[in-house]
Amino acid sequence: MIPLFEILAEASFWAAALAIATPLVFGTLGALLCERAGILNLGIEGIFAAGALAGFLAVHLGADIGTAVMFALLTGAGIGFAHGLLTGPFGLSQPLTGIGITLLAAGLAAFAFTALFGPAPPKITALEPIYLPWISDLPFIGAALLQTPLTYVAIVLAFAVTYLFTRTPLGLAIRACGENPAAVTAQGRSVHALRIGAVMAGSALMALGGASLSLAAGSFSAGMVNGRGFICLALTTLTGWRTSLILVVALLVGAIDAYQLRAQKELALAPQIFLMIPFVVLIISLALTRTSRRPRALLFGSATDNDRDRD
Amino acid sequence: MNVIRLEPRLDISPALAAGAPIIAAGLALALAAIPLALTGIPVLRAYGLAAAGIFGSPAALGDTLARAIPLTLTGLATSLALRIRLYNFGAEGQLFAGALAAIAVGTGVIVAPPFLMIPLVVVAGAAAGAVLMLLAALIKLRRGGDDEVIVTLMLNVVMLFALQMTFTGPLDIATATVRSQPLIEQATLAWLGGVRLAVGFAFALAAIGLVYVVLRFTVWGFDIRAMAGDLVAARSAGIRVARMTLRIALISGALAGMAGAFEVVGTGYATQDIAGLGYAGIAVAVLAGRSPLAVFPAALFVAVLLAGAGPLKEVGASKSLADIAVALTILLALIAGLFTRYRLRWGRPVKTAR
């Protein structure tokens, strides 16, 4: 086995872990926005793929990084609007609609990519890490924090969403939609409007997660998402829907994944054994923990509040 | 102010209930032409090719029908679990687990005559699928939410990796996929030739019949139908909700696992080709709605979708067109279900006391 403690002392290991954690932070923040509003968004896996393609296409067509990010955000918000509309006012089953959207978005992204580029797809210039004055010169931390701008955006967003939920009336209203929608209606606010808004914002973040994958890699492939969306959903329930823990757990999964990648190179075993490690760890953690902080309207609530869905 | 509102239909005519999913399926088939047309592929020629790939020759028709067998089982697995709002999105992973178990048992560890060997392999597959779904259901019950959704989806990824590890056998020239090690001769149905299709169908239809009878005529079926309505009411009526959830999880997982084992028994080896049959089972379940009997025609339709997407490679469309068609089927069938139960009305909002 590879010496664990030596690896943990390497700055390059933590740099890799942070890079892997970046899309997970975006995705988990997005999933949290949807779920705290009371909507399960299983479309995440497909939205990741759509966002990854949107970011890739924008840069391929000559756009700068900011435009590429905007394009990905808009793509995600559009898909989120469809999910919010179908599960909110139309009251369709959230899990089934989400699975449909995931398969549709992932299928369309893969189809479009092959249709556009054929068997020999181009590459784009991968996003470079940025040098920050002061911070990048620090020993160890400086090297670990040498990241693409998107990583910094993810960290700032994690604090921003925490602030939204804990300190603003809008955040309170969104949370109320996930806990007690009837109370929101009694306040004279529209539950559907708030939920659609939250799902659109959440899906936009998920798409940004996908874009951060393709922009950092400098390429797109249909299998690039590979279950990351589902990992984000597992992290929301594992942390008990706490925004404050997202950075920590995402970094933890990133570290497990980085360690797994390192072990793959060292040990002569089938790569699949290593690739399944993060998923197995998460399933075991889900089995060993429980949570009392589940938004009360999430699914179980929606089945009683919104009786349109009966399958 | 006038708004669009959904008004419940007081009585739903049987013609509407049966017609809506058929319209949804037809629309899904038609809408799949949009991505084709956008890429400049001649749509009519593409549909012609697809039709030839589905019905064109006895062999093609046989392949299409053969696909309906695992789809019936994964569709039944998903649909049965949905009845009690147990979200089994893991038919895909359970199918892989069933295939894995079939390879583990059937490649020579145990040697027995076919009449023992084949049931043994299928039972091993069913057990593997059941264990996976049981794990997901236990996590659901322990965490008190709908976390089986996430667990089953993550298990799909894990089981795909596990299945890929068995692909150490010969390369299949026709499909350019690597096979697993072959099963021993006693464990396959390959020697049955065309008859194995009939055996598979008999088996799938028997599974449907069994589920139908249990749901319709037994105490378990009554409990399941009660849980489909309202969990709180079911609980206060003395139904042991947790126990029934675990039972359904075991049966659902076993059905999907059997589908995987059956695929391996039918061909004599496993390949990546079985991927997607589990997710497509969700489309089968949504199309079939609440009726187990409707699972069979729904599976036939989805089999046609999957078989039709294959030959389109010739005109440059990728196989992701099958995923698109399956996804459209799920979404449109859900929307069709909405319009069967509600009608759209344009008028003033009605004030209701909720």
Side-chain angles (χ1 to χ4, degrees), chain B residues 59 62-70 118 179 187-204 261-269:
Chain B
D63 276 353
T64 309
L65 291 176
R67 241 182 270 245
I69 298 166
I118 290 167
R179 292 178 181 179
T188 74
L189 286 176
W191 52 277
L192 273 176
V195 187
R196 72 168 193 241
L197 202 62
V199 175
F201 269 112
F203 190 76
F262 230 83
E263 283 299 281
V264 175
V265 166
T267 49
Y269 51 85

Side-chain angles (χ1 to χ4, degrees), chain A residues 56-99:
Chain A
F56 175 88
L57 274 184
V59 173
H60 178 72
L61 295 175
D64 59 3
I65 170 85
T67 320
V69 164
M70 279 310 294
F71 189 49
L73 286 173
L74 283 176
T75 308
I79 304 175
F81 180 70
H83 186 70
L85 196 68
L86 289 176
T87 57
F90 285 170
L92 295 182
S93 160
Q94 295 173 15
L96 290 173
T97 308
I99 276 287

Side-chain angles (χ1 to χ4, degrees), chain B residues 227-251:
Chain B
M227 281 170 71
D230 188 338
L231 280 187
V232 180
R235 208 171 262 132
S236 51
I239 294 169
R240 303 195 180 190
V241 167
R243 190 181 287 190
M244 187 53 85
T245 304
L246 294 179
R247 256 184 219 139
I248 296 286
L250 280 171
I251 299 172

Side-chain angles (χ1 to χ4, degrees), chain B residues 87-90 94 133 136 148-156:
Chain B
Y87 294 102
N88 180 3
F89 292 151
Q94 291 144 23
M133 190 54 208
E148 82 275 17
V149 171
I150 304 155
V151 175
T152 51
L153 286 169
M154 288 202 293
L155 281 172
N156 290 347

Side-chain angles (χ1 to χ4, degrees), chain A residues 307-308 310, chain B residues 5-21 23 290 334-346:
Chain A
D307 264 343
R308 245 167 242 156
R310 276 279 163 213
Chain B
R5 63 195 158 78
L6 293 164
E7 189 182 271
R9 292 181 199 268
L10 293 179
D11 52 341
I12 298 163
S13 76
L16 183 66
I23 295 172
R290 253 174 283 191
L334 283 172
I335 294 170
L338 177 76
F339 286 126
T340 4
R341 281 165 289 148
Y342 290 83
R343 57 163 63 89
L344 281 181
R345 277 289 165 83
W346 171 252

Side-chain angles (χ1 to χ4, degrees), chain A residues 192-256:
Chain A
H192 287 325
L194 279 164
R195 279 184 170 167
I196 290 178
V199 174
M200 283 175 75
S203 306
L205 288 185
M206 294 169 184
L208 181 53
S212 72
L213 271 177
S214 61
L215 294 179
S219 64
F220 174 86
S221 77
M224 138 179 273
V225 182
N226 215 353
R228 278 188 181 77
F230 303 143
I231 288 183
C232 295
L233 292 179
L235 292 183
T236 57
T237 169
L238 204 56
T239 55
W241 289 267
R242 270 177 272 234
T243 33
S244 50
L245 287 178
I246 287 182
L247 287 177
V248 181
V249 290
L251 187 63
L252 214 60
V253 176
I256 294 171

Side-chain angles (χ1 to χ4, degrees), chain B residues 279-323:
Chain B
Y279 283 120
I282 301 173
V284 173
V286 177
L287 260 188
R290 253 174 283 191
S291 157
L293 297 181
V295 164
F296 186 63
L300 278 178
F301 171 74
V302 175
V304 164
L305 280 188
L306 296 185
L312 293 187
K313 264 179 249 168
E314 281 177 43
V315 283
S318 67
K319 72 172 176 51
S320 39
L321 200 64
D323 297 336

Side-chain angles (χ1 to χ4, degrees), chain A residues 87-92 177 180-186 191-192 195 297 300-310, chain B residues 5-8 338 342 350-354:
Chain A
T87 57
F90 285 170
L92 295 182
C177 286
N180 191 343
V184 179
T185 311
V191 177
H192 287 325
R195 279 184 170 167
F300 272 139
S302 73
T304 47
D305 283 346
N306 201 337
D307 264 343
R308 245 167 242 156
D309 178 56
R310 276 279 163 213
Chain B
R5 63 195 158 78
L6 293 164
E7 189 182 271
L338 177 76
Y342 290 83
V350 187
K351 291 207 169 62
T352 48
R354 273 225 174 163

